[in-house]
Amino acid sequence: CRRRSPRGAGMHGGGGVNPAEVGTLSLEFHSLARATKRPEFDAGPDDVRRRMAATVTLLNSSLVPLSLKSSGGAHPTGRVSLGAMGDSYYEYLAKTAILDPRLRPTAGAMFKAALLEIEQQLLVPREHGRTFLAEASMNGRRGRPAGGASAAGAPRAPPHK
């Protein structure tokens, strides 16, 4: 007997998968495999990392929405944010690249590509030298400024050299 989720279940209605949860569980099981010297704990995270890389390719974006379909692809809301939980996925990419030399090329490249897209798509320069962090949708439309300190505007970062 298959049990169905109640309508609206999950963080964004419909029970999507949060990329931040994927990142943390992947990193934790990888660390457990290393600490216990039991590689079988890393088999699941390796599969998850491959699926996330395939999802990023499918979405044609290094920015992932706050919720993904468990079957792959963006959840219908397609909301991209660096607010609560939105930044954690990228944090775990960076941690994975630092902690595991075997994964450094893949996770590091995914992290760098995401940073570039964040800068190009989510940072909104405004008057008086302030920069706002916006939210976006997977269809490329920029939304309202993200909440918290970002919405108040931060001094514009100096240009890259």
Side-chain angles (χ1 to χ4, degrees):
C1 173
R2 235 178 122 195
R3 198 173 145 153
R4 297 185 64 131
S5 299
R7 190 163 188 240
M11 185 176 66
H12 295 285
V17 176
N18 181 294
E21 292 170 354
V22 170
T24 187
L25 289 173
S26 176
L27 186 61
E28 288 171 8
F29 273 91
H30 174 70
S31 298
L32 179 64
R34 286 179 54 194
T36 62
K37 298 184 182 357
R38 293 183 57 190
E40 65 267 23
F41 288 127
D42 211 11
D46 279 345
D47 183 50
V48 168
R49 284 186 284 270
R50 279 191 294 278
R51 287 175 183 243
M52 281 303 294
T55 298
V56 165
T57 301
L58 175 71
L59 296 173
N60 196 29
S61 173
S62 295
L63 299 179
V64 296
L66 291 176
S67 186
L68 298 170
K69 295 180 204 171
S70 58
S71 60
H75 192 274
T77 62
R79 184 172 152 230
V80 175
S81 175
L82 294 182
M85 295 182 291
D87 60 341
S88 297
Y89 167 72
Y90 308 104
E91 174 189 340
Y92 292 118
L93 276 179
K95 287 179 179 178
T96 298
I98 291 166
L99 292 174
D100 190 343
R102 175 181 62 104
L103 299 172
R104 190 165 292 139
T106 307
M110 290 173 72
F111 179 71
K112 287 178 185 177
L115 285 181
L116 183 62
E117 282 193 55
I118 288 167
E119 184 177 32
Q120 292 172 347
Q121 297 182 31
L122 299 181
L123 293 182
V124 183
R126 294 288 189 218
E127 63 281 345
H128 307 296
R130 300 287 181 190
T131 299
F132 289 83
L133 180 61
E135 291 183 344
S137 64
M138 289 310 296
N139 64 12
R141 288 187 295 195
R142 223 183 245 160
R144 65 195 194 305
S150 302
R156 194 170 295 149
H160 293 331
K161 294 184 181 190

